[in-house]
Amino acid sequence: MSDKTLVIGVLASGRGSNLQAIIDAIEGGGLEAKIGVVLSNKKNAHALQRAKRHHIPFQYVDPKDCPSREIYDTILLGLLKTHQVELVVLAGYMRLLTSELVRPYQGRIINVHPSLLPAFPGLHAHQQALDYGVKVSGCTIHFVDEEMDHGPVIAQASVPVFSGDKESSLSERILREEHRLLPKVIQEYSEGRLCVEGRIVQNRSDPQIEVIQ
Ligand code: GRF
């Protein structure tokens, strides 16, 4: 591992399959990064077990101990700084961030969402897509701001929606793309390939951008 290895902090509330995809990519040599800490707002989040199994520092922070969301995020900020986190990855983190965390980490927080944003933000994105009758859905990796599922889009991957799909079958198909795309985006971030101007993220890995240069 070089001195310049990117340190990631992962926030997760649930099963942590995206966390596992990051761990696997690091351990497999496809992603040059280190997970400094995994934090959760859920005591029994399986993501914490995964962190433990891979000897990654982890901590549950109980929201009930905090009188406000701002104070909660200030505690998270302190922990992220303690672990020298440079990039925060929201991987199934089910809380909206406040400015206390977003401002100090401006442009350094990414989220994975299981729809092609701006379609179907928020909870139950797969069911929203099925109910709407779209024929294509997918996942989005985006920078995070204070609004839910709203910041500049970094990358998206699409999947077909088949008649007869249920929430479970669609989410499984989309999840495979999440697991592929998230480590790839983190690697691109670590190589300084992502430039943000307003809402537009230019990815210097894109062949057409390299041709223009
Ligand atoms: C994923 O579908 C992600 O897109 C969404 O929450 C889910 C988390 O899954 N934000 P996991 O905890 O990573 O398995």
Side-chain angles (χ1 to χ4, degrees):
M1 210 181 339
S2 79
D3 281 355
K4 291 195 312 210
T5 301
L6 178 77
V7 181
I8 307 168
V10 177
L11 308 193
S13 304
R15 88 197 133 175
S17 70
N18 277 291
L19 166 65
Q20 190 66 53
I22 299 169
I23 294 171
D24 291 347
I26 292 172
E27 292 183 354
L31 170 57
E32 204 192 333
K34 175 189 160 186
I35 303 179
V37 69
V38 175
L39 301 174
S40 184
N41 60 322
K42 296 283 179 192
K43 192 175 183 181
N44 296 319
H46 189 56
L48 296 178
Q49 298 304 316
R50 294 183 195 265
K52 188 176 178 190
R53 203 181 305 144
H54 290 269
H55 311 290
I56 297 165
F58 63 92
Q59 193 163 330
Y60 157 60
V61 183
D62 189 349
K64 288 203 254 10
D65 289 344
C66 298
S68 71
R69 286 172 52 225
E70 285 75 14
I71 292 175
Y72 187 85
D73 281 358
T74 305
I75 293 171
L76 293 193
L77 178 64
L79 290 166
L80 293 168
K81 286 192 165 162
T82 300
H83 290 276
Q84 299 176 322
V85 167
E86 298 162 290
L87 175 72
V88 180
V89 179
L90 308 188
Y93 183 63
M94 305 305 282
R95 278 170 76 91
L96 201 54
L97 300 189
T98 65
S99 311
E100 305 305 313
L101 191 46
V102 173
R103 268 202 221 122
Y105 272 100
Q106 189 79 46
R108 298 190 294 144
I109 311 178
I110 64 173
N111 179 45
V112 52
H113 181 76
S115 75
L116 296 174
L117 291 172
F120 316 128
L123 293 175
H124 310 298
H126 312 96
Q127 193 59 52
Q128 289 188 58
L130 291 170
D131 292 345
Y132 202 87
V134 292
K135 306 302 179 207
V136 175
S137 190
C139 63
T140 303
I141 317 277
H142 65 93
F143 284 110
V144 169
D145 59 19
E146 286 91 343
E147 288 180 54
M148 189 172 49
D149 302 326
H150 174 267
V153 171
I154 303 169
Q156 295 183 304
S158 61
V159 304
V161 180
F162 298 123
S163 61
D165 258 338
K166 300 269 182 288
E167 204 175 354
S168 56
S169 56
L170 180 58
S171 79
E172 205 178 293
R173 199 173 305 126
I174 292 176
L175 204 56
R176 276 200 292 274
E177 293 303 312
E178 295 179 32
H179 296 167
R180 184 182 62 77
L181 203 55
L182 185 57
K184 182 169 177 274
V185 165
I186 296 171
Q187 179 64 32
E188 288 165 352
Y189 178 93
S190 79
E191 292 171 8
R193 289 179 164 270
L194 306 179
C195 320
V196 194
E197 258 188 73
R199 279 213 59 87
I200 306 304
V201 181
Q202 303 262 29
N203 185 332
R204 293 194 204 129
S205 319
D206 290 346
Q208 68 269 33
I209 293 174
E210 277 165 20
V211 169
I212 292 165
Q213 287 169 345

